[in-house]
Amino acid sequence: MITEKEQRLLSRYLDGNLAGADREGVESRLQTDSAFRALKTEYEAIGQQLNEFREPAGVTPEAAWASVRREIRLARDEDGSRSVPWHFGSRLQWAGGMIAAVFLILGAWVLIPGPAQDAGIAKSMPAEVEWVETAVPDAMTMVYQDDETGLTVIWIMEAEEETDPAHAES
Amino acid sequence: MRNHSSIRWTALALGTAGLLAFASHSQANGTVTLKAVMIHASNQPAALDRRIENIEYKLRRVFKFKHYKHVGKGNITLSLPGKGTIALGSGYSLEVEASPAGKGRVRTRVHWRKGGSTLLRTSTVVSRSVPTVLGGASHGSGKMIVTLVVE
């Protein structure tokens, strides 16, 4: 009769994980008990079968996928069409493109004057009268720029106005 | 992959060029609104007119008339270049023609009329929001004044 505890001790003995009194006990039992030796033989056979089914570490799915990617990368490097790693190349190109676009837009914003900039410049510039004429008989025109109010006045001076009745003393 | 990269760069360049062209086109071919207010200036007593309070204090500094009365007003929005007519009431009107003058300024050609008669014709280059004053046409015991602002 082999107890469950003795089976576990035998399994640990075969794995090389048993020492001291337990190890000596298992070895003594193996010399005296043919059933125990038969169990040892059975365990060793099972272990051997498991080892036969075990796959090499290098061909796990993860390793296989890494190998495929490595092969692709090596093939691209040999092609010489890229100076940056393949898995970063696309992202770097888009990043470069976006940076270039931002610089172009900023350049356009600086070079093309916007309405707000125009308004700021224009407000400081007085109106410029290019020409003026009147069809009122015996009348003439006068252009007056008032610095205080910023008004540009284009005035019809009619004949009956002996002096300038409209304008303040200026 | 080299072809894909070229396509990306070409698309980016075309997009940027389109953006610049749109911005340039919008700037060059904007719209302006011309706002005209006609005021009768005289020494005859008249109540304060709140409709012209934003310009009356300036007129008082320039002219020596004692009273200013709102007669009429009109607006017109033009795509540059463009022209149109603003009716001011009492038979007065402004025929206006506006075009870009550079640096954000606008060239306005104004024909001030009363009925079928020409009072004044002028060409000015003006800044936005800075009023120009036309005036001097006799009307009753005073003078007619038109303030014209480009917005």
Side-chain angles (χ1 to χ4, degrees):
Chain A
M1 178 68 182
I2 301 173
T3 64
E4 190 172 340
K5 181 183 178 185
E6 290 168 337
Q7 291 175 9
R8 284 201 298 273
L9 288 172
L10 176 61
S11 177
R12 290 174 59 191
Y13 172 80
L14 291 173
D15 291 339
N17 295 328
L18 203 60
D22 289 337
R23 181 181 180 82
E24 291 172 0
V26 169
E27 288 175 344
S28 172
R29 181 77 181 272
L30 285 172
Q31 291 175 358
T32 59
D33 188 341
S34 60
F36 203 68
R37 282 198 301 274
L39 182 62
K40 174 178 175 287
T41 304
E42 184 180 350
Y43 279 4
E44 286 174 340
I46 292 171
Q48 188 173 358
Q49 287 175 354
L50 287 175
N51 284 334
E52 287 176 358
F53 283 108
R54 187 177 297 164
E55 294 181 10
V59 291
T60 59
E62 294 79 8
W65 176 236
S67 178
V68 170
R69 293 183 64 182
R70 184 172 61 254
E71 291 298 326
I72 293 172
R73 186 168 65 247
L74 290 173
R76 291 187 183 283
D77 289 346
E78 287 176 3
D79 183 43
S81 63
R82 289 172 179 273
S83 58
V84 293
W86 171 68
H87 52 287
F88 288 128
S90 177
R91 292 176 188 172
L92 284 179
Q93 280 191 349
W94 277 107
M98 293 300 291
I99 291 168
V102 167
F103 274 106
L104 284 171
I105 291 169
L106 286 175
W109 180 67
V110 169
L111 292 175
I112 299 175
Q117 286 177 297
D118 284 351
I121 295 169
K123 277 186 177 177
S124 63
M125 301 173 72
E128 176 187 336
V129 179
E130 295 180 320
W131 53 263
V132 58
E133 62 186 22
T134 180
V136 175
D138 300 324
M140 57 184 294
T141 58
M142 187 185 77
V143 175
Y144 173 68
Q145 176 73 46
D146 185 71
D147 293 334
E148 187 180 357
T149 61
L151 293 178
T152 299
V153 179
I154 303 171
W155 198 259
I156 303 169
M157 295 183 67
E158 296 181 342
E160 62 268 25
E161 297 177 33
E162 293 180 359
T163 58
D164 178 7
H167 294 87
E169 48 280 23
S170 60
Chain B
M1 292 306 279
R2 190 170 292 172
N3 287 338
H4 287 176
S5 178
S6 300
I7 290 169
R8 285 174 191 167
W9 281 107
T10 304
L12 181 64
L14 288 174
T16 306
L19 185 67
L20 292 174
F22 175 77
S24 177
H25 178 80
S26 299
Q27 179 69 18
N29 298 295
T31 60
V32 294
T33 298
L34 288 88
K35 298 180 177 179
V37 177
M38 192 163 68
I39 296 164
H40 185 237
S42 71
N43 292 321
Q44 299 295 318
L48 286 174
D49 196 333
R50 290 192 173 276
R51 291 173 294 181
I52 56 173
E53 65 183 0
N54 63 335
I55 190 71
E56 183 183 356
Y57 73 98
K58 290 186 177 180
L59 297 177
R60 286 186 183 280
R61 290 183 179 180
V62 177
F63 305 111
K64 63 181 181 181
F65 295 108
K66 294 180 180 175
H67 301 287
Y68 299 85
K69 182 182 176 184
H70 180 279
V71 176
K73 69 174 183 178
N75 300 338
I76 190 169
T77 299
L78 301 173
S79 296
L80 298 179
K83 58 183 177 181
T85 301
I86 303 173
L88 295 170
S90 302
Y92 290 89
S93 65
L94 290 182
E95 292 176 9
V96 293
E97 188 175 340
S99 58
K103 297 180 180 178
R105 306 180 88 195
V106 180
R107 174 172 285 104
T108 58
R109 291 187 175 178
V110 181
H111 187 179
W112 187 19
R113 300 170 68 100
K114 181 183 180 183
S117 303
T118 293
L119 297 175
L120 190 74
R121 293 166 65 94
T122 185
S123 176
T124 58
V125 176
V126 298
S127 304
R128 293 171 192 258
S129 303
V130 177
T132 302
V133 176
L134 312 178
S138 294
H139 187 91
S141 58
K143 299 288 185 180
M144 280 297 190
I145 293 172
V146 175
T147 64
L148 184 65
V149 182
V150 175
E151 299 283 3

